Amino acid sequence: MKSITSAQIAISLWAIFIVAIGVLNLWDRSGAVPAEPIDVVALDDVSVVEEDSKVPAPCMSMPRVAGEKTVILRLDDVQAFAWPSTTRMMIEDAESRNAPLTLGIIPKNFSADTELVSYLKEHGCNHEFALHGFDHQSHGENGEIAEFEDLSYEVAKDRLAFGLQELAVVTDKKVETWIPPLNVHSTGTKEALTELGVNRWSTEGKALWDYDATTFSYDTNALTPTDKVLEDCESAFAEGDVCIIMMHPQDFTTNDFHDAQKYDAHYLDLIDRLFGRGYGFGTFEDVA
């Protein structure tokens, strides 16, 4: 029997090592011993955490314009994914003139528009948040019945509670101002509002918080001339010290796109002329 030399032993061990490496590689590729993968889910999680942890810039409080007569600018139909450019311009141009707005927010899907929520958090210290319906959808055979016009107490309370919950994502303050869609609401809605502690109601009529003037006439389906808005405010001031002006972002758009001509000639002109007359600006919360 031949003896095994040291060289043969070394060669044999090296061969065994090479075979073992090959077997491990094949095993690894087959999935029996999974290699450490790139964790795509983990990377997504990191991006989500970074997005969620983004803190809006702190809100910078603006000085208020005081006056013996106070104008409340009631901006209805602030909502998710609708007229973002015009809405933001209205807020910022009002702020540049130290004029706070009461923002009537439609709550359905509101929290889903994270850009809008973040934006409003950055500006919320200068404005008031009001509840403006639930989804603002009219009903009836021809859509002639406003959302809250004929609701029972139970149904109205459910919708109102959901709306208040949605607005809580943007403000820690208790929301106490209510703007019903199309400015009408049922007796059941009034009962539900009272129970929920929402006690300032801005509708159509002659009650304390009802609007006095509007930038758009739905009777004529046209923008209201600034002179007419100012005239209506003068009439309101003849009876008290507050004028409430109803407006909407879509008043200053064409085919849902921002219309600079309408905006400058009606919105900016109105605020500047109100300021020029020495009126102050406030919100329902300020006046209350």
Side-chain angles (χ1 to χ4, degrees):
M1 183 176 179
K2 292 182 180 180
S3 60
I4 300 175
T5 66
S6 297
Q8 289 174 320
I9 292 173
I11 292 171
S12 298
L13 290 174
W14 179 252
I16 292 171
F17 176 76
I18 294 299
V19 171
I21 291 297
V23 170
L24 286 174
N25 283 338
L26 288 173
W27 197 5
D28 182 55
R29 292 191 186 109
S30 71
V33 181
E36 189 68 26
I38 298 175
D39 194 346
V40 176
V41 174
L43 291 176
D44 286 344
D45 286 345
V46 170
S47 67
V48 169
V49 170
E50 289 177 352
E51 181 67 26
D52 289 345
S53 63
K54 286 175 62 178
V55 178
C59 183
M60 303 297 292
S61 296
M62 65 185 184
R64 296 299 179 94
V65 178
E68 293 183 3
K69 307 295 185 181
T70 300
V71 174
I72 296 177
L73 300 173
R74 194 190 99 180
L75 179 57
D76 296 0
D77 292 359
V78 176
Q79 59 187 291
F81 312 111
W83 313 295
S85 298
T86 303
T87 300
R88 286 161 174 72
M89 289 179 66
M90 293 182 76
I91 291 172
E92 291 171 22
D93 283 329
E95 287 178 348
S96 71
R97 292 157 173 78
N98 298 324
L101 303 173
T102 292
L103 304 174
I105 296 176
I106 299 173
K108 186 175 182 182
N109 298 326
F110 175 66
S111 59
D113 191 342
T114 54
E115 290 188 11
L116 177 60
V117 169
S118 180
Y119 177 84
L120 291 179
K121 284 182 178 179
E122 293 179 18
H123 294 263
C125 64
N126 292 314
H127 308 284
E128 176 188 16
F129 297 109
L131 186 61
H132 188 35
F134 166 69
D135 59 17
H136 207 305
Q137 295 299 305
S138 299
H139 55 282
E141 185 175 347
N142 298 306
E144 72 279 7
I145 303 174
E147 181 190 0
F148 280 81
E149 187 172 353
D150 62 354
L151 293 188
S152 66
Y153 159 81
E154 291 80 11
V155 175
K157 185 179 178 183
D158 284 346
R159 291 190 173 217
L160 293 168
F162 175 83
L164 293 171
Q165 181 179 333
E166 279 289 277
L167 265 61
V169 303
V170 77
T171 180
D172 294 329
K173 287 185 177 181
K174 178 178 172 56
V175 173
E176 298 186 58
T177 300
W178 160 250
I179 303 168
L182 304 187
N183 296 291
V184 293
H185 53 197
S186 64
T187 299
T189 299
K190 296 176 184 178
E191 293 172 357
L193 287 166
T194 300
E195 182 171 331
L196 292 168
V198 183
N199 299 310
R200 296 188 291 266
W201 308 341
S202 185
T203 65
E204 184 174 67
K206 295 295 182 181
L208 178 62
W209 303 116
D210 291 347
Y211 75 88
D212 304 294
T214 177
T215 56
F216 190 88
S217 171
Y218 289 94
D219 293 334
T220 61
N221 199 35
L223 282 163
T224 306
T226 301
D227 287 342
K228 170 61 175 170
V229 179
L230 294 172
E231 179 184 325
D232 289 340
C233 268
E234 287 292 345
S235 297
F237 287 139
E239 300 179 2
D241 54 7
V242 175
C243 175
I244 300 167
I245 302 176
M246 175 179 67
M247 53 184 64
H248 307 78
Q250 63 267 36
D251 294 351
F252 313 107
T253 66
T254 298
N255 297 324
D256 284 337
F257 288 96
H258 181 76
D259 189 317
Q261 183 176 3
K262 288 181 181 178
Y263 185 84
D264 293 350
H266 291 269
Y267 181 67
L268 294 184
D269 181 56
L270 175 61
I271 297 179
D272 289 341
R273 290 174 67 180
L274 289 166
F275 180 84
R277 293 192 176 197
Y279 301 144
F281 294 95
T283 65
F284 293 92
E285 183 180 34
D286 294 333
V287 174

